[in-house]
Amino acid sequence: MCGITGFIQWSGDLTQDSQLLVKMTESLAHRGPDGSGTWISNPCAFGHRRLSVIDPENGAQPMIIHQEEEVYAIVYNGELYNAAELKDELVRRGHRFNTKCDTEVLLVSYIEWGPECLERLNGIFAFAIWDSVREQVFLARDRVGVKPLFYSYIDGTLVFGSEPKALLQHPKVEPVVGAEGLAEVFIIGPARTPGHGVYKDISELRPGMAMIFNREGLRKYTYWKLESKPHEDDADQTASFLRDLLRDTVERQLVSDVPVCSLLSGGLDSSALSSLAVDYYKRTGQGQVHTYSVDYVDNNKHFKSHSFQPGADAPWIKRMHEELGTNHHWIEFDTPELVEALDVSTQKRDLPGMADVDASLLLFCREIKKGATVAISGEAADEIFGGYPWFHREEMLNSGTFPWSVAPDMRAGLLSAEIRDWIKPLEYLGDRYSDAVAEVPKLDGETGQQAKMRIMSYLNITRFMPTLLDRKDRMSMGVGLEVRVPYTDHRLIDYVWNIPWSIKTTGDREKGILRKALEGVLPDDVLYRKKSPYPKTHNPNYLAAVKAQVLSILDDPSSPLLPLIDTARIRELASSPDASSNLPWFGQLMSGPQLFAYLAQVHFWLKEYNVSIR
């Protein structure tokens, strides 16, 4: 994995901007600690930071291919999991290769098939290609948005990058946030509306989209989207197909020239990936798999079971790593570390994020990086198979809003009257929810519960899952760790999308069809364990620390946060133990402590990035 950036303009001499390109590229050094490169050839300036995973000796970027008078150049962040098959086909078509890396495979695929090469790719990616034949730059992002790509189109100049920070180095892109951006932060956040970059001048290329920039202007188009069609397989056939597909996906994603490990929480999703990895390593003679888990000091003392988090993970992690014989690494953090990492995690996102859920992942990835360069992780299984509580509770299914954020009135009430009047948060939220529901590809004749569950699945895949994928990308790449997410394989998502809800809940269980598919892969007690989300700290010291931090901010008259919020309401929450610890703020994991931590992140972001509100 890597960091990419650049800019394209059709007039002027870009060689005069070489230092600007270096500055943009170096802002992404954390994404690629193993090397850097820049390339300027009017009208293009491309920059790249490299994390070496495949063919470390020969995969430097930007990669340039000359064919007589033709020039093709690429900067690329990602992994192609079908690179070997593509390479074989391209060799049969007469192409020769100088490296073993998938960057060259991707560039040659474009040379052979043009923009239609996207249809052939299996992987996670964001890239830009200069094509001198067509005199255009072609940019694209993977189907579900595992890898990020932001852009700004101002005064005829296109600026792009893996993260907003690279764009903000360019003099034409300013850290300005308007009404929509504030609504994203305060009523949608820490999620984001697809395509919205929050900053006024920054947009995000949506998953499954490509973009062509030439002298005629900028054109975006969708090359992949979910399609609804009848599911013909019965439960047994479905489970068998899923088992084979998941095994193929995991084995493809274990290919690497550097060490690969697995994140293990003891739950269904991560245990399945770890088990399949161990089986593959045994069959291919690659030795012992390393697994990693995260927990918090004194969490066992303070943990209280509830419907979103029914049990502690530690006993199940021990159960699985002993069952599989992995070399397991127990990672543990204390409250001061989590609080201290809030600011750093904000810098990694360039926005306020998931508070301690981000901070703990950043710290976790930093420890993993000491022993591995690549990890596999279980994100996306709950979104595509229907694992979250809001798939199974009528009041959340019928809430009329995003089910991970069911207290919009409370959230809007945290804002100052002036900001509420300007950004109209409830109206904005309603519009974004309506937009999402309107996008759902309907199936003819589908009504009632199945139609309702299709809507819920779509919301989760296109609105909630990107939040977790953003988090995973920024926190892992923030320390130069590549994390692969097998459940996001587009073949898997395409197939599961159309499985009827009655089959998805086989055995009257959440993710029932996945459990059935994994029979014989996992022990029964793990296979049928109740879902538990990513672990967070339950230590009351954390709540006390972030409360104190926010109260200190409220006492600072120079804080840029103060004009945006109802300070009296925040103080009231801080003084109410029940309200501050049990707020239904966001998702399964984020309640009162995370609200205070998020406000602290907003304060830091506004100040650190010198954000202008207008």
Side-chain angles (χ1 to χ4, degrees), residues 246 250 262 268-278 376-378 486-487:
L246 186 58
V250 171
S262 180
L268 174 69
D269 310 330
S270 67
S271 295
L273 299 184
S274 298
S275 179
L276 292 170
V278 166
I376 56 172
S377 182
Y487 292 107

Side-chain angles (χ1 to χ4, degrees), residues 8 33 187 529:
I8 304 96
I187 201 71
R529 178 194 169 197

Side-chain angles (χ1 to χ4, degrees), residues 510-522:
E510 77 281 0
K511 296 193 289 191
I513 192 59
L514 179 59
R515 297 177 198 275
K516 184 177 178 66
L518 294 169
E519 288 176 353
V521 175
L522 293 177

Side-chain angles (χ1 to χ4, degrees), residues 298-540:
D298 290 337
N299 234 24
N300 58 327
K301 294 180 183 177
H302 303 292
F303 178 82
K304 292 180 181 178
S305 177
H306 56 83
S307 57
F308 279 174
Q309 196 149 11
D313 287 329
W316 296 97
I317 295 168
K318 185 173 184 292
R319 167 85 173 89
M320 277 308 300
H321 91 76
E322 289 178 351
E323 172 80 17
L324 297 175
T326 65
N327 185 342
H328 190 72
H329 305 260
W330 298 89
I331 309 298
E332 190 175 70
F333 303 114
D334 204 352
T335 295
E337 297 171 275
L338 292 174
V339 175
E340 185 179 347
L342 281 173
D343 290 352
V344 184
S345 65
T346 306
Q347 289 174 319
K348 300 307 180 187
R349 272 196 195 248
D350 299 311
L351 290 167
M354 295 186 75
D356 60 309
V357 184
D358 275 4
S360 63
L361 181 60
L362 178 68
L363 295 172
F364 187 31
C365 290
R366 184 176 293 163
E367 291 302 308
I368 296 169
K369 176 65 177 177
K370 294 175 181 178
T373 302
V374 181
I376 56 172
S377 182
E379 271 78 10
D382 286 309
E383 288 86 351
I384 67 170
F385 285 101
Y388 292 122
W390 46 74
F391 280 92
H392 307 277
R393 296 183 182 180
E394 284 300 317
E395 76 276 10
M396 301 183 88
L397 282 167
N398 299 318
S399 65
T401 190
F402 298 112
W404 46 87
S405 190
V406 292
D409 291 327
M410 181 275 292
R411 292 186 60 147
L414 302 177
L415 299 173
S416 68
E418 294 79 9
I419 293 298
R420 280 201 308 273
D421 290 343
W422 183 37
I423 72 174
K424 298 178 174 56
L426 298 180
E427 182 179 317
Y428 184 84
L429 176 65
D431 289 345
R432 299 295 78 76
Y433 179 74
S434 297
D435 292 345
V437 172
E439 291 174 7
V440 179
K442 296 179 173 59
L443 183 63
D444 288 344
E446 190 173 68
T447 59
Q449 184 74 358
Q450 180 60 27
K452 184 189 294 186
M453 299 317 298
R454 191 175 291 277
I455 291 172
M456 180 59 77
S457 294
Y458 188 85
L459 294 177
N460 277 265
I461 292 170
T462 65
R463 298 310 193 268
F464 191 70
M465 189 168 79
T467 308
L468 302 187
L469 294 179
D470 280 356
R471 165 181 169 261
K472 185 67 81 174
D473 174 82
R474 301 312 186 278
M475 299 308 115
S476 60
M477 293 304 295
V479 296
L481 176 72
E482 175 186 324
V483 177
R484 300 174 178 178
V485 278
Y487 292 107
T488 63
D489 186 291
H490 72 277
R491 301 169 301 163
L492 189 68
I493 291 177
D494 279 338
Y495 185 75
V496 177
W497 166 249
N498 285 302
I499 298 174
W501 188 244
S502 58
I503 295 181
K504 280 185 183 175
T505 54
T506 292
D508 200 26
R509 284 295 308 272
E510 77 281 0
K511 296 193 289 191
I513 192 59
L514 179 59
R515 297 177 198 275
K516 184 177 178 66
L518 294 169
E519 288 176 353
V521 175
L522 293 177
D524 283 352
D525 54 343
V526 176
L527 189 61
Y528 292 102
R529 178 194 169 197
K530 190 74 174 172
K531 173 184 167 48
S532 186
Y534 177 85
K536 68 171 185 177
T537 181
H538 298 273
N539 194 322

Side-chain angles (χ1 to χ4, degrees), residues 551-569:
L551 290 172
S552 175
I553 291 168
L554 297 184
D555 289 336
D556 176 7
S558 69
S559 170
L561 176 66
L562 300 192
L564 308 180
I565 60 173
D566 184 338
T567 57
R569 177 59 182 147

Side-chain angles (χ1 to χ4, degrees), residues 566-586:
D566 184 338
T567 57
R569 177 59 182 147
I570 302 301
R571 290 186 187 278
E572 181 184 339
L573 283 176
S575 65
S576 171
D578 291 337
S580 61
S581 61
N582 297 306
L583 288 174
W585 189 63
F586 186 87

